[in-house]
Amino acid sequence: ASAAPPPPAAGMEPVVCGSRLRAAWGTDGYSSKSHWCHRAKKALKQEMKACGVRLAKEKGGSTFGSGLKFGPGIEFAGGDRFGDHNKFGSGDRFGSRTVFGSNNRFGKHAVFGAKTRFGGSNRIGRGAVFG
């Protein structure tokens, strides 16, 4: 087994694709097929599809499958739809008009946008905020 990579040096910030990369380097990274941002996004889309996530191009958000586990601090778009038995991390944020199936578990301090709909038997952690 190989050793884990060393932690980043103090004061260093990760490179982020999109507007921050454009401000620093003049490109968002996504528009060039040879850039690592484009390649990473393509690979992530394929992995998400294999996990049951459908990224919708139409107005209304994305559709996520059932039985998925999400980490903490994720900011989801409005209009997303989630299946059943998903686990969400602490501090996750959900946009308006999000729809959840049944038996989902939410971490502490989740933030839910306006007009969020829940199926039955969802468990919501302490400190949740509803818009």
Side-chain angles (χ1 to χ4, degrees):
S2 61
M12 292 184 71
E13 292 186 30
V15 176
V16 179
C17 301
S19 60
R20 289 178 62 189
L21 185 67
R22 181 184 324 234
W25 295 98
T27 179
D28 64 2
Y30 298 125
S31 53
S32 171
K33 289 185 178 182
S34 62
H35 196 278
W36 69 267
C37 291
H38 178 83
R39 291 179 183 183
K41 183 178 178 182
K42 184 177 177 181
L44 179 60
K45 277 185 175 181
Q46 291 172 344
E47 188 171 329
M48 290 174 73
K49 184 177 179 182
C51 292
V53 177
R54 182 179 59 83
L55 297 177
K57 292 185 180 183
E58 69 275 1
K59 181 179 170 185
S62 300
T63 300
F64 296 82
S66 297
L68 303 173
K69 184 175 181 181
F70 299 92
I74 297 174
E75 193 160 336
F76 294 93
D80 287 344
R81 301 176 67 84
F82 296 89
D84 305 321
H85 301 283
N86 292 307
K87 295 180 183 178
F88 299 93
S90 295
D92 285 350
R93 302 174 67 87
F94 305 92
S96 298
R97 301 182 193 285
T98 299
V99 178
F100 296 98
S102 299
N103 298 305
N104 292 296
R105 290 177 40 196
F106 301 89
K108 296 177 184 176
H109 308 291
V111 178
F112 301 96
K115 299 184 179 181
T116 297
R117 295 187 307 175
F118 296 91
S121 301
N122 286 292
R123 291 181 20 198
I124 299 172
R126 290 181 295 177
V129 176
F130 296 88

